[in-house]
Amino acid sequence: MKRLIIEGQKTLSGTIKIGGAKNSVVALIPAAILSNQRATIYNVPNISDVKNLKNITQYLGSTITFENETITIDNTGLKNKEITSEFSTKLRASYYYMGALLAKFKHVEISLPGGCSIGSRPIDYHLKGFEKMGATIIQDNDRFIIDAKVLHGADIFFDIASVGATINIMLAATLAQGTTHIYNAAMEPEIANVANFLNSMGAKIGGAGTSEIRIEGVNELSNGIVEVIPDRIEAGTYLMIGSLLGKNLIIDGIIKDHLDSVLTKLHEAGANFKVKGCQLIVNKSSHLKPVNVRTLVYPGFPTDLGQPMSTLLTQCEGECLFEETIYENRMRHIKHLCAMGADIKLFDKKAIIRGKTKLKGREVVATDLRAGAAMLVAGMIAEGTTIITNIEHILRGYENIVGKLSEVGASIKLEDI
Ligand code: EPU
């Protein structure tokens, strides 16, 4: 068990380099097992989700190395084995082995995935999609057996544009017989990143990044290569911290388009930043105006930045409405913000945040990954010492967070407890 200790209110200057996107790499590693040969993934962040996926891929018999931000995977020894709960519950993205193993072996045995407890998070769209493609599914408590005599293309329509289901169906469809259409597909940039990787192996995927994806199945996939896109959520988190504490803080290695909704909202609030190519230059804002934030699927304001944004809203002068629309349970950080001095009224998935309030350091809990990011932002601006426990969640998704923030002047350390 570890905890973070932060002395707040330090000015931040210098450069923070953004790493590869967690939500891309967690799909790219399972996708790599579709290659009959080798796959190379560049710009891989060193986060615990990557370590857990590396363990699963190794357990399946592939040879995997991770050095200099590069993963190479050789699938010569790959075998179809059951992925037990010991592996699957370590993270959400273990569910991508469903689509990948189904495509490759037409048979999967796997237990339910883990991940942050931010709502019920069903996987019914994934399963219904596989069934439409000819698979039969037996569920025995947490364990699934998915089998397809023949996996064929299908027309699949999602009620909600789900990131995970879009990627899982895309994985399965690459090696299915015939053509699959996904309608109301999720449009997050991570999906195009995965499609580009699969296409580099010889898959035939068009439309990824739009709401309609067409996948023409092929017989096999060969060598693949991809660079993980920059983590827009990591960049957005540091942008928020910089808007509150920055002095020419440079956030380096972003793709501006991926952050448009976030930049627009921060601009509306009067945040002080400039975009220069692939960099953001951020300064503390003397006066932040109240804004309303509603999380939405891409290209809307990302749910993964809603919680850290809610901490920033406590520093806006006036009343802000913050609404989470994707998950039922992404407000558990609010009580910890209030304990630090925030003035927030919570109504289920909506919060009215009144600012500007002084935050005071105290012991708080990272109840999930992005709640942890919200606590981190709070600790950075609070007076005195903030101790964040349960930070294993944060380490799953933010690469070298202590090193990156210390280098620009933060007082933050990691302690074993
Ligand atoms: N949904 C269903 N049925 C399904 C799939 C989804 O009802 O079969 C619902 C979910 O319950 C949720 C909504 O659809 O209300 C959207 O869920 P989605 O499937 O898009 O989420 P996910 O694939 O499970 C990924 C990221 C999340 C991120 C969301 C939205 C990974 C491993 N996780 O989750 O990341 O919040 O997309 O962008 O890629 C995080 O990084 O903190 C995180 C939670």
Side-chain angles (χ1 to χ4, degrees), residues 30 53 72 98 111 182 193 278:
L53 290 167
T72 57
M98 284 184 172
S111 287
I182 308 177
N193 204 194
C278 60

Side-chain angles (χ1 to χ4, degrees), residues 325-371:
T325 73
I326 311 291
Y327 293 109
E328 305 93 37
N329 208 0
R330 253 193 163 165
M331 291 289 192
R332 289 193 300 164
H333 64 296
I334 296 288
K335 79 167 190 213
H336 295 282
L337 276 180
C338 291
M340 291 177 77
D343 177 357
I344 306 177
K345 295 248 170 333
L346 185 58
F347 306 91
D348 192 20
K349 294 192 289 176
K350 290 186 186 160
I352 293 174
I353 303 178
R354 288 197 190 86
K356 170 179 182 176
T357 44
K358 271 206 170 121
L359 300 187
K360 284 220 162 110
R362 54 168 296 162
E363 183 164 334
V364 290
V365 184
T367 50
D368 58 74
L369 166 56
R370 309 301 172 186

Side-chain angles (χ1 to χ4, degrees), residues 26 58 70 126 131 157 175 196 199 205 277 296 322 352:
V26 297
Q58 233 154 13
T70 303
H126 308 230
E131 279 175 337
F157 177 89
L175 293 176
N196 288 338
N199 284 342
I205 304 173
L296 287 170
F322 167 54
I352 293 174

Side-chain angles (χ1 to χ4, degrees), residues 29 189 344 404:
I29 297 172
I344 306 177
K404 287 188 186 189

Side-chain angles (χ1 to χ4, degrees), residues 73-93:
I73 297 172
D74 179 337
N75 290 320
T76 322
L78 180 73
K79 293 215 165 41
N80 193 11
K81 292 201 227 166
E82 176 174 356
I83 299 178
T84 55
S85 59
E86 179 201 344
F87 287 108
S88 68
T89 53
K90 292 270 175 0
L91 77 170
R92 188 84 197 145

Side-chain angles (χ1 to χ4, degrees), residues 45-95:
N46 193 1
I47 50 177
S48 57
D49 270 8
V50 165
K51 194 181 97 203
N52 287 320
L53 290 167
K54 187 170 169 250
N55 288 343
I56 298 178
T57 304
Q58 233 154 13
Y59 158 79
L60 292 172
S62 298
T63 308
I64 176 163
T65 65
F66 181 22
E67 284 171 352
N68 303 325
E69 299 175 3
T70 303
I71 279 189
T72 57
I73 297 172
D74 179 337
N75 290 320
T76 322
L78 180 73
K79 293 215 165 41
N80 193 11
K81 292 201 227 166
E82 176 174 356
I83 299 178
T84 55
S85 59
E86 179 201 344
F87 287 108
S88 68
T89 53
K90 292 270 175 0
L91 77 170
R92 188 84 197 145
S94 56
Y95 59 25

Side-chain angles (χ1 to χ4, degrees), residues 28 31 129 132 262 284-285 378 391:
L28 292 168
K132 236 179 151 202
V262 179
K284 176 179 171 161
S285 312
I391 61 142

Side-chain angles (χ1 to χ4, degrees), residues 149-167:
K149 299 266 168 303
V150 176
L151 194 68
H152 57 74
D155 285 349
I156 292 167
F157 177 89
F158 293 133
D159 295 340
I160 300 174
S162 153
V163 171
T166 301
I167 294 178

